[in-house]
Amino acid sequence: NNNLGSGRGGASPYDDDTSSTSTTSAGSPIPDFNASNIQLSTVAPAFGISSSAAAASGLQTRQPDYLDYDQKGRGIFSIMCTNSGISYLVGVTIGGLYGLKEGLARTPSSRWKVKLNSVLNHCGRHGSGLGNMMGASAIMYSLYEGVADSFELDAYTGPI
């Protein structure tokens, strides 16, 4: 097949070129995807292989890939927002469930509207209090962690 090296891939019954040969009939709805016409040096970068290594015949001695341990992760502000948001949501959920229990237990009346009002009041009181406390604690922890990382306090205190 003379499509090798032309960048046109395998022969297809839908090609306009009449010089290419096709193994399927012209009326077949499925094109011929012949993988033998794919050039590995063209698609190798998509798989993380250098083009020169893919073009070389046989296996060559390759250097090992070492991990870079000095990478910068997310910033202090991003970590702080994530930690405080997750902590706040967990605190509001736990406090709200505790408020639901307390609101049902301490309802002064058996009427539906009074019970609902009591449950909502207790859920709001306990949920917001615990959520704010956990969110503020997460912000303090994240700031401390960021300062400790920026000053590399592990060198002085040792790993914890």
Side-chain angles (χ1 to χ4, degrees):
N1 193 353
N2 53 355
N3 280 338
L4 273 174
S6 66
R8 293 181 35 209
S12 172
Y14 301 107
D15 289 341
D16 291 334
D17 188 11
T18 57
S19 66
S20 66
T21 59
S22 175
T23 57
T24 59
S25 64
S28 175
I30 301 174
D32 179 23
F33 293 111
N34 188 357
S36 65
N37 294 333
I38 297 175
Q39 289 185 354
L40 291 180
S41 61
T42 305
V43 295
F47 297 112
I49 303 170
S50 67
S51 297
S52 60
S57 61
L59 295 174
Q60 296 177 353
T61 18
R62 302 174 87 192
Q63 295 294 325
D65 292 333
Y66 294 106
L67 296 176
D68 184 16
Y69 290 109
D70 295 331
Q71 290 181 345
K72 279 299 230 182
R74 295 183 300 162
I76 295 173
F77 186 72
S78 175
I79 292 172
M80 182 180 61
C81 288
T82 302
N83 288 347
S84 65
I86 290 171
S87 298
Y88 179 78
L89 287 176
V90 168
V92 165
T93 302
I94 292 172
L97 290 174
Y98 178 74
L100 175 69
K101 181 185 91 65
E102 288 292 313
L104 290 174
R106 296 187 182 189
T107 303
S109 173
S110 61
R111 296 181 60 198
W112 166 249
K113 288 186 179 183
V114 176
K115 276 188 179 184
L116 178 64
N117 188 23
S118 176
V119 165
L120 290 176
N121 286 339
H122 281 84
C123 285
R125 182 180 311 126
H126 295 292
S128 65
L130 188 61
N132 287 336
M133 182 183 65
M134 288 182 70
S137 300
I139 289 174
M140 296 293 287
Y141 174 78
S142 299
L143 286 175
Y144 168 73
E145 185 182 28
V147 167
D149 283 345
S150 66
F151 289 127
E152 297 179 3
L153 293 181
D154 288 345
Y156 305 109
T157 62
I160 295 175

